[in-house]
Amino acid sequence: MTAPTAAQEAFLRAFHAERPAVTAHAFADGRAPDGRSGHEILRDRVAGARRVLDPGCGDGVLLDLLARTGGRRPAGVDLSCEALALARRRPRLRAAALAEARAQQLPFAAGTFDACVCHMALMPMGDVDRVAAETARVLSPGGVLACAIGGGALGGEAYELFGRLLRTAVERAPAEQRIPPLGDRRARTREGLAEILVPAGFSAPEQETVPIDPSGPADRVRAALSGIYDTGPLASDTVRRLRETFLAEAAGPAGPDGRVPCGFRIHVVTARPR
């Protein structure tokens, strides 16, 4: 493990130790135009798979959805023992294979899985070329990788507002209150993912861009958006000011019912081993 990757993973472990349920909280209310969450979209992309691995499963939201199909054998790994503890408490995951491990060194034999799914977890991973190679290794012939990556704000709504306020707060914060550079920028676009996945043995990835709408009461939207990694090291008074400023500025575009418009895109990327 390189020094930058070690620093990234130390930060991710510490962040998720304090916020082990951040995955469930951050994406609980967001829905695509057809009513599905991002997790449900990934679930449906691997509908025929029986053995499914989530190599960044967090507190088990996606695995729990997958386990609702009878006879399916879900498995997951994560760096965070605290998040995995929450996943193990889910009744449907009591028999799931859950391990504290790195996606760069999966503790499974070659060809173990019919599908791998990854919801917003690929982007912050270091040594992503190794992640791709390990994912290809554990997939069986005919298997599929389905992952969701962030596509940014839709524009003119609360997600964009929060991002602007957060950038200002981070720029003003001392260096020790900033996160280390996370992940590989190639993992944020289809073209970049092709550079990663094709040499690892995958076909050229396909991509669909889906808008997600987590609109709702201002403080609920703010709480969901606060799951962004950059908020983790900020001082408590900085976080408080960020909350107060967001709530004040979000009040303007709120509708008569108090709902604040919010929207972002995800790119749903699929690829198959060659």
Side-chain angles (χ1 to χ4, degrees), residues 6 64 121 210 226 270:
D64 186 80
V210 181
S226 293
T270 55

Side-chain angles (χ1 to χ4, degrees), residues 54 57 75-80 84 88 96-102 107-108:
D54 184 346
C57 65
V77 303
D78 202 272
L79 290 174
S80 171
L84 286 169
R88 292 188 178 101
L98 301 175
E100 183 181 348
R102 304 174 66 239
F108 303 105

Side-chain angles (χ1 to χ4, degrees), residues 16 29 39-40 56 76 90 94 102 107 118 122 126 152 155 159-160 169 180 183 211 225-226 235 243 246 257:
H16 288 284
D29 299 314
H39 292 104
E40 289 169 332
R90 296 177 180 269
R94 287 173 182 161
R102 304 174 66 239
C118 193
L122 186 61
Y159 189 93
E160 187 174 60
L225 297 179
S226 293
R243 176 182 181 274
F246 174 82
D257 58 357

Side-chain angles (χ1 to χ4, degrees), residues 12-92:
L12 292 171
R13 283 192 176 94
F15 182 92
H16 288 284
E18 292 186 6
R19 307 182 186 192
V22 68
T23 301
H25 293 159
F27 299 102
D29 299 314
R31 292 293 181 271
D34 63 9
R36 291 182 297 169
S37 68
H39 292 104
E40 289 169 332
I41 291 171
L42 287 187
R43 174 203 61 192
D44 295 345
R45 290 299 173 95
V46 299
R50 310 298 286 178
R51 304 169 299 165
V52 185
L53 171 68
D54 184 346
C57 65
D59 53 355
V61 174
L62 181 50
L63 289 178
D64 186 80
L65 285 171
L66 291 164
R68 297 179 191 189
T69 297
R72 181 170 274 160
R73 292 158 51 192
V77 303
D78 202 272
L79 290 174
S80 171
C81 60
E82 292 85 1
L84 286 169
L86 295 181
R88 292 188 178 101
R89 293 177 192 170
R90 296 177 180 269
R92 294 186 184 90

Side-chain angles (χ1 to χ4, degrees), residues 190-210:
R190 181 175 63 86
E191 294 76 15
L193 281 171
E195 294 179 12
I196 296 165
L197 295 173
V198 172
F202 286 93
S203 62
E206 299 178 356
Q207 176 177 301
E208 177 188 7
T209 300
V210 181

